[in-house]
Amino acid sequence: MRKRESSALFRTRLLQLLSQSGLTQARFASAIGIDRSALSQLLTGPDPRLPRAETLLSIAGQFQVSVDWLLGLSEDSGMVTQSLDAVETEAALDEESRTAMERWHEEATGQKIRYVPALLPDLMRTPEIIAFQAQSSEQEKRRLQAQTQRRLRLSQAPEADIEMCMPLQSFEIFAAGCGVWQGLAAPARQRQIDHIAQTVDALYPAFRMYLFDGRKRFAPPMTLFGYTRAAVYAGEVYLLIRSKRLIRELAQGFDGHIRAAEVHAHEAADWVRGLRAV
């Protein structure tokens, strides 16, 4: 493709991005790191021209489109490589021993949170469960206690809107004292079960818990913060996803778990309350 044709297509697609963004020209220019006059030249100058390479990359990164699409070399606005670039890793703990998840939760205030826990819901852990998970480490015990309190406080906020979905077998395994819970006394497990039921009751409907059959479906431990960020838990790190397309796909999968739930939000507390630790 000749440079003039590429420049004309770039202008058309830049105008498309500006229209879709809903931003003013001044805010759009600021978002891609140029001033308004430079943007005006790109949009309406007498001769269509291409921007500098760093501006082109900034536009692609800011609006999650491919450089090839901007230049008219592809009709597909997204690229597999860009989706991969949109996945980052972040340490599970920051310098204040907060989980990255808590920080992202705070930043997403007012947005819908979708949540699949790794084991039990973090915000509902009793002191006995925390002590068991801390494995005799006083420092880890204090950290888990603070984490539980912060997560519960965020879930109690007036603007909270949280959906949690997980396999019902996770609770059955806990009640039976199997797997990672082997060695935890039945009375402690029963107190945890009762506490979860009470907390789900107290937080409903701002906090809604759904349980699906883990023999039929699989969901990795993850949290979706509206449609702006998703985090998949991978042990010591989170896989942080910013691609809107990938986030929407994860959200659709989460919603599929809810549609297939065996236990719905209005039934969850009573279902958990019916469990008996053995």
Side-chain angles (χ1 to χ4, degrees), residues 129-138 140-141 144 180:
I129 296 302
I130 289 171
F132 183 79
Q133 291 185 312
Q135 298 180 352
S136 302
S137 166
E138 283 301 315
E140 179 66 1
K141 182 178 176 180
L144 291 176
V180 298

Side-chain angles (χ1 to χ4, degrees), residues 45-77:
D47 294 311
R49 63 183 182 86
L50 295 175
R52 295 179 300 176
E54 56 265 33
T55 301
L56 195 62
L57 291 172
S58 178
I59 295 168
Q62 183 69 29
F63 296 101
Q64 296 295 305
V65 295
S66 71
V67 171
D68 281 357
W69 179 79
L70 285 170
L71 296 177
L73 301 175
S74 171
E75 293 302 315
D76 183 1
S77 63

Side-chain angles (χ1 to χ4, degrees), residues 54-269:
E54 56 265 33
T55 301
L56 195 62
L57 291 172
S58 178
I59 295 168
Q62 183 69 29
F63 296 101
Q64 296 295 305
V65 295
S66 71
V67 171
D68 281 357
W69 179 79
L70 285 170
L71 296 177
L73 301 175
S74 171
E75 293 302 315
D76 183 1
S77 63
M79 293 284 286
V80 172
T81 52
Q82 284 196 299
S83 295
L84 292 174
D85 290 342
V87 180
E88 309 164 12
T89 60
E90 181 154 344
L93 295 178
D94 64 14
E95 64 279 1
E96 299 175 5
S97 292
R98 293 187 309 169
T99 65
M101 194 70 68
E102 293 169 64
R103 188 172 69 254
W104 297 330
H105 196 140
E106 290 173 352
E107 293 170 359
T109 297
Q111 300 181 57
K112 184 176 183 178
I113 307 296
R114 296 174 173 91
Y115 170 45
V116 180
L119 293 171
L120 295 178
D122 292 345
L123 70 157
M124 302 180 193
R125 291 179 296 204
T126 63
E128 291 167 300
I129 296 302
I130 289 171
F132 183 79
Q133 291 185 312
Q135 298 180 352
S136 302
S137 166
E138 283 301 315
Q139 181 179 358
E140 179 66 1
K141 182 178 176 180
R142 288 192 296 270
R143 186 188 72 77
L144 291 176
Q145 287 171 336
Q147 179 193 103
T148 298
Q149 292 167 1
R150 286 194 294 257
R151 292 291 298 274
L152 180 59
R153 187 167 59 250
L154 288 168
S155 301
Q156 292 170 328
E159 65 275 14
D161 182 9
I162 304 171
E163 288 181 340
M164 191 194 81
C165 202
M166 62 186 294
L168 57 86
Q169 286 84 2
S170 295
F171 284 108
E172 292 173 341
I173 289 169
F174 176 79
C178 298
V180 298
W181 305 113
Q182 189 172 0
L184 179 62
R189 285 184 276 115
Q190 188 61 55
R191 284 188 286 271
Q192 174 66 83
I193 289 168
D194 294 341
H195 178 65
I196 290 174
Q198 292 165 8
T199 306
V200 170
D201 252 343
L203 295 179
Y204 181 82
F207 182 100
R208 302 174 298 281
M209 183 169 78
Y210 299 83
L211 305 176
F212 60 87
D213 188 341
R215 295 166 299 187
K216 299 177 182 177
R217 306 182 69 88
F218 171 76
M222 66 178 183
T223 303
L224 286 81
F225 304 90
Y227 289 97
T228 60
R229 177 188 284 134
V232 179
Y233 184 58
E236 297 299 318
V237 299
Y238 290 105
L239 301 180
L240 178 60
I241 300 168
R242 299 182 188 275
S243 163
K244 290 182 179 179
R245 180 179 63 80
L246 292 179
I247 292 169
R248 287 191 177 278
E249 288 178 0
L250 288 173
Q252 288 170 3
F254 186 97
D255 292 343
H257 296 319
I258 288 180
R259 286 193 295 272
E262 304 277 335
V263 179
H264 291 270
H266 66 283
E267 308 166 313

Side-chain angles (χ1 to χ4, degrees), residues 1 7-20 28 43 59 65-77:
M1 180 181 293
S7 299
L9 271 170
F10 168 77
R11 172 173 287 184
T12 298
R13 291 182 172 175
L14 186 62
L15 283 165
Q16 181 179 332
L17 288 178
L18 174 61
S19 175
Q20 291 173 346
F28 189 93
L43 293 171
I59 295 168
V65 295
S66 71
V67 171
D68 281 357
W69 179 79
L70 285 170
L71 296 177
L73 301 175
S74 171
E75 293 302 315
D76 183 1
S77 63

